[in-house]
Amino acid sequence: MKLKLSPVIVFLIFGSLMYLLAEFLPVGYFDFFGREYLIRAMLILAVVIGCIALIQFYVARTSADPKNPSKATSLVSNGIYKFSRNPMYLGLLLILLGWALWLANAFNILLAAGFVSYMNAFQIQPEESTLAGLFGKEYRNYCIKVRRWF
């Protein structure tokens, strides 16, 4: 799999676009009671999900390299992976959603949706093809049981 951009770079690009949108399109401004608490909760949840996912890969002694899914030596399908096939990307999405709330511009939700769309098309689908080739029926059955994001 030959990716042009790392998922972290894609995340940073979308985060930067969110900032620019909020800065130059202030008509989408919003605020509500408890927004700061929701931001903190989303960020904490994102860090917890991401760390658990990475720890599970470490315990399974398999690769978490998004550019080379063919390095995977085992299929991790327990723990947090029972609920999401891509918890690390879900963590990045939660951070972007928290960032959107911090910037308080409703139009940033469209950019978060763009992040999901980009990741599905250019990262997740190629990863899934590679993993299906590596793990065959076991991976295909896993895909049937567990959703891509949540």
Side-chain angles (χ1 to χ4, degrees):
M1 186 166 95
K2 296 185 183 211
L3 290 176
K4 297 187 188 308
L5 296 173
S6 157
V8 173
I9 299 298
V10 172
F11 164 79
L12 292 173
I13 289 170
F14 275 90
S16 298
L17 290 172
M18 287 176 153
Y19 172 78
L20 291 172
L21 183 82
E23 192 68 24
F24 296 108
L25 186 66
V27 295
Y29 179 79
F30 67 90
D31 196 8
F32 57 88
F33 176 77
R35 182 170 60 98
E36 295 83 11
Y37 296 113
L38 183 57
I39 292 167
R40 289 183 190 132
M42 290 178 93
L43 294 179
I44 290 168
L45 185 60
V47 169
V48 168
I49 288 172
C51 287
I52 289 171
L54 286 170
I55 289 168
Q56 283 191 251
F57 269 47
Y58 177 77
V59 168
R61 290 180 168 50
T62 192
S63 174
D65 183 358
K67 286 187 149 189
N68 295 305
S70 59
K71 289 183 180 179
T73 57
S74 65
L75 179 62
V76 180
S77 59
N78 58 350
I80 199 156
Y81 288 92
K82 285 182 181 179
F83 307 102
S84 172
R85 294 196 316 254
N86 299 287
M88 291 179 232
Y89 302 145
L90 177 58
L92 293 177
L93 174 61
L94 287 171
I95 292 170
L96 284 178
L97 291 172
W99 179 234
L101 286 172
W102 175 263
L103 294 170
N105 189 305
F107 293 106
N108 276 325
I109 296 303
L110 298 174
L111 286 171
F115 173 77
V116 170
S117 179
Y118 180 91
M119 292 301 288
N120 280 337
F122 297 104
Q123 180 66 39
I124 295 173
Q125 287 178 356
E127 274 182 12
E128 288 179 342
S129 295
T130 302
L131 294 173
L134 283 173
F135 301 109
K137 188 175 182 180
E138 181 185 9
Y139 184 73
R140 286 189 293 277
N141 288 338
Y142 172 66
C143 289
I144 291 168
K145 292 178 188 173
V146 179
R147 293 176 156 250
R148 198 176 263 168
W149 288 86
F150 53 86

